[in-house]
Amino acid sequence: MDDFFWWIVLIGFAAQLVDGALGMAYGLTSTSLLISIGLPPTQASATVHAAEVFTTAVSGTSHHFARNVDWKMVRTLAIAGSIGGAAGAALLSSGIGEYLAPFVALYLSALGVLVIAKAVRKVQPPAAMRGLAPLGLVGGFLDAVGGGGWGPIVSSTLVYRGHAEPHRMLGTSAASEFFVTVMITVTFAGHFGLESFGMAALALVIGGVPAAPLAAVLVRIIPRKPLMIAVGLLIVILGGFGIYRFVSALLVA
């Protein structure tokens, strides 16, 4: 276990604190930080999703027993999201992953702006995402390509539309995310093998487990709005740093 491993443990700890306090942004935060310490987008996304298989399983199960899940909606979201997620993971694994780096950085920055906007005011979802199937398809694809985004895209859209109580929409999204995450992880594993990112995923889990109870305490102490703005700014800055590195490499070449 070298220093790099423990850096990822620290990232897992920080990402779980953010997710526990906001109910979203675990994938965005951890993927942004992993890319910033040198992991390519493909490995960063694969690592995060392998770790999320465990976190989403716990989350989805908890929501099920709390009766927060609409399984009819889950069926549509999970199928569409899995298709989109598999397509995104396959694209990222096809050998053009390094060329997608600037686009991933742009996407992460855009979602960082969305997080900030949500903290300031209600944000209306794009009209193109009115149906559950298109919403799941787009959410799964972008989640795989960017290493995160299901929560800000799918969960936020469901809550905004107000089909049912917010807790039921969040529970439905969380249960759907498990199936999407499994499909994305399986797709990555089919291309690289789980051993290629197993230790990094383990580091994220090791870091995230002790952060979970701490996040539950902090969420009662830290105001949600300033925290969302701070996290959004962090994601935007890290995305901007990724764009800067790509442009710098082009200029040097």
Side-chain angles (χ1 to χ4, degrees):
M1 292 187 181
D2 54 13
D3 291 342
F4 191 72
F5 179 90
W6 292 111
W7 272 112
I8 299 178
V9 170
L10 182 61
I11 287 172
F13 183 85
Q16 185 58 50
L17 281 181
V18 170
D19 190 78
L22 296 181
M24 67 174 72
Y26 176 88
L28 293 178
T29 305
S30 51
T31 299
S32 300
L33 290 171
L34 287 174
I35 291 176
S36 72
I37 65 172
L39 262 68
T42 303
Q43 187 177 1
S45 181
T47 298
V48 170
H49 283 97
E52 281 188 316
V53 168
F54 300 95
T55 60
T56 56
V58 173
S59 177
T61 301
S62 300
H63 280 293
H64 169 70
F65 284 111
R67 298 184 178 180
N68 292 337
V69 180
D70 183 332
W71 286 103
K72 290 184 178 179
M73 292 179 67
V74 168
R75 182 172 54 196
T76 302
L77 284 170
I79 293 174
S82 296
I83 294 172
L91 178 64
L92 202 60
S93 307
S94 63
I96 64 171
E98 58 181 293
Y99 302 106
L100 291 176
F103 300 102
V104 171
L106 282 170
Y107 164 67
L108 292 172
S109 296
L111 281 185
V113 172
L114 176 62
V115 171
I116 296 172
K118 280 177 59 62
V120 177
R121 60 184 179 85
K122 287 186 176 181
V123 181
Q124 183 172 0
M129 294 187 184
R130 286 178 181 169
L132 284 179
L135 176 63
L137 192 68
V138 173
F141 179 83
L142 293 179
D143 193 80
V145 171
W150 182 269
I153 293 173
V154 177
S155 300
S156 300
T157 301
L158 291 177
V159 171
Y160 178 85
R161 290 174 183 170
H163 292 303
E165 299 86 348
H167 65 270
R168 191 163 177 81
M169 291 297 91
L170 290 173
T172 297
S173 177
S176 305
E177 187 179 11
F178 167 72
F179 298 101
V180 177
T181 300
V182 169
M183 177 60 74
I184 293 172
T185 302
V186 168
T187 303
F188 279 128
H191 283 84
F192 305 114
L194 282 174
E195 66 277 2
S196 63
F197 49 82
M199 290 302 293
L202 176 63
L204 286 180
V205 173
I206 291 174
V209 169
L214 180 58
V217 175
L218 290 179
V219 73
R220 297 177 178 271
I221 301 173
I222 303 177
R224 180 180 176 86
K225 183 175 179 179
L227 182 60
M228 286 187 72
I229 293 174
V231 171
L233 285 173
L234 173 64
I235 295 170
V236 170
I237 291 171
L238 291 174
F241 179 66
I243 296 171
Y244 170 77
R245 287 196 306 174
F246 179 78
V247 172
S248 298
L250 285 179
L251 292 177
V252 171

